[in-house]
Amino acid sequence: MSSSEQEQKPNISPSTKPLTAAGGKHPAAAAGAAGGSEGTSDDAAEPPQVPWAQFTLQLEDYNPTVPDAVTSYYLKRSGFSGSDTRIVRLISLATQKFISDVANDALQHSKMRGAAQPLKKGNKEKKHTLTMDDLNLALADRGISVHKPPYFH
């Protein structure tokens, strides 16, 4: 390749691509810590940026709720072959987030269903039970349909 062709291609390496941090500081707080006093409404809406290399290093130290062995098993079963633990942990983290969101939505459906029922005496906080009805509603919000097998009807 000629030197003019090399100059036209942008140099994008994994360490220069930013990745949004889920649990980082608020951008306004990060700007205040850096000494920046500019705080527009656009800045408040943007999450903090973490370089990809730093994020992958953090994944090496992270111990996900879904074990690496379980994630690796299902990845191999679906045809994925890779031995990089950072990728496995990234998928475990995404799985953990998905399960957490579905469980939270099912809890909200349960609370809404419980609010429609008449209250009994006492102001005790009601315990909520995860039911298939609530779980079906939470999964249906994400486009996933779950049906009972025919022998349970």
Side-chain angles (χ1 to χ4, degrees):
M1 265 197 292
S2 68
S3 62
S4 63
E5 289 177 3
Q6 289 177 351
E7 291 177 21
Q8 291 176 354
K9 291 184 179 180
N11 183 10
I12 299 175
S13 65
S15 62
T16 60
K17 289 185 179 180
L19 183 67
T20 303
K25 291 183 179 180
H26 190 273
S37 60
E38 298 176 16
T40 63
S41 61
D42 292 339
D43 291 340
E46 293 181 23
Q49 301 292 313
V50 176
W52 177 252
Q54 183 181 0
F55 180 72
T56 56
L57 288 175
Q58 290 174 353
L59 278 177
E60 290 178 357
D61 299 332
Y62 179 71
N63 190 12
T65 303
V66 179
D68 291 342
V70 172
T71 305
S72 295
Y73 169 78
Y74 283 106
L75 286 174
K76 287 178 185 174
R77 190 169 173 201
S78 66
F80 179 80
S81 62
S83 60
D84 191 359
T85 58
R86 295 173 298 178
I87 299 298
V88 172
R89 289 193 179 157
L90 180 63
I91 293 170
S92 293
L93 184 63
T95 303
Q96 178 180 339
K97 171 82 167 97
F98 176 76
I99 292 170
S100 174
D101 288 347
V102 168
N104 187 31
D105 287 350
L107 175 65
Q108 297 306 317
H109 285 291
S110 175
K111 285 181 178 180
M112 288 189 307
R113 187 173 35 89
Q117 296 174 353
L119 294 174
K120 295 180 181 179
K121 276 188 171 179
N123 292 333
K124 293 182 181 178
E125 187 175 322
K126 183 180 178 185
K127 292 184 180 181
H128 297 278
T129 304
L130 179 64
T131 63
M132 272 309 287
D133 295 333
D134 297 329
L135 191 57
N136 280 336
L137 290 171
L139 289 170
D141 291 345
R142 289 175 166 66
I144 301 171
S145 63
V146 179
H147 300 286
K148 291 181 183 178
Y151 51 86
F152 281 117
H153 287 277

